Amino acid sequence: MGEDAELVPVEIVGVRQHMADDEVVVLLLDPDSELLVPILIGPAEASAIASAQAGIVPPRPMTHDLLRDVLIAVGSGLTRVEITRLEDGVFHAELVLRTGPRVDSRASDAIAMALRFGCPVLCSAEVVAVAGVEVRTTTSEQDLERFRRFLDLVTPEDFSTGAEPEDEGGSEGR
């Protein structure tokens, strides 16, 4: 990847399966832009990512564990992972080794490796802008209305007793 391309740190939110079409995605979050980048992955990679996030250590090394162990055995390690580009719907990544070399990788494998090394995942700002979807954190109108009713009825004494205020008009939805 060119040195002039801007990279942003992303958080690995986790693996999710869309029940309707049986697709599995790993979700990456750019906390600054509040954009979520979904990457379609296979079930083996999903398992590797989810088990690493859960801290599950298999009795025998799986492929990503084996690669981690080999890198450590040859005196290297992983400095970071970079998701460099999106081409025809395919995310491309690179493993940046501690000894300097960069290794081409599928994004899903790179993420699984980053979790095993505890190293950062960086994503091209352009990829985040193109593939990212807005994170919706807005409160539903119903929740907002319920909170407004609460504010209309609450008194300072309610905070000292811990009891909920009485709704004289009926307490629907509680």
Side-chain angles (χ1 to χ4, degrees):
M1 179 168 179
E3 294 300 315
D4 55 347
E6 183 186 356
L7 295 170
V8 296
V10 292
E11 299 169 10
I12 304 164
V13 175
V15 175
R16 303 292 185 268
Q17 182 169 8
H18 190 268
M19 295 305 207
D21 48 17
D22 224 21
E23 289 183 334
V24 182
V25 295
V26 61
L27 300 172
L28 304 178
L29 174 67
D30 173 6
D32 290 340
S33 68
E34 294 186 349
L35 292 175
L36 201 58
V37 178
I39 300 176
L40 191 62
I41 62 175
E45 294 77 14
S47 177
I49 291 168
S51 64
Q53 281 191 308
I56 297 170
V57 179
R60 301 286 298 143
M62 299 304 286
T63 305
H64 297 95
D65 304 305
L66 177 63
L67 181 54
R68 177 202 56 214
D69 295 348
V70 167
L71 286 172
I72 292 168
V74 298
S76 191
L78 195 57
T79 301
R80 70 182 176 273
V81 161
E82 296 177 0
I83 300 182
T84 56
R85 67 189 189 283
L86 176 60
E87 228 172 72
D88 298 323
V90 177
F91 290 84
H92 295 259
E94 292 181 353
L95 305 176
V96 181
L97 302 184
R98 194 182 71 210
T99 52
R102 302 170 77 87
V103 180
D104 184 37
S105 173
R106 296 185 307 176
S108 56
D109 290 325
I111 292 165
M113 291 301 297
L115 286 167
R116 281 160 177 75
F117 276 96
C119 69
V121 176
L122 304 175
C123 188
S124 157
E126 183 180 344
V127 169
V128 170
V130 169
V133 293
E134 236 181 284
V135 177
R136 296 193 195 272
T137 56
T138 58
T139 308
S140 73
E141 285 299 317
Q142 189 177 16
D143 290 340
L144 194 53
E145 182 55 39
R146 202 172 309 143
F147 183 65
R148 285 185 183 130
R149 275 199 318 266
F150 170 79
L151 289 177
D152 289 341
L153 301 169
V154 73
T155 65
E157 293 78 31
D158 293 329
F159 293 104
S160 63
T161 64
E164 286 196 19
E166 293 297 323
D167 184 352
E168 293 154 15
S171 59
E172 57 190 283
R174 266 203 249 166

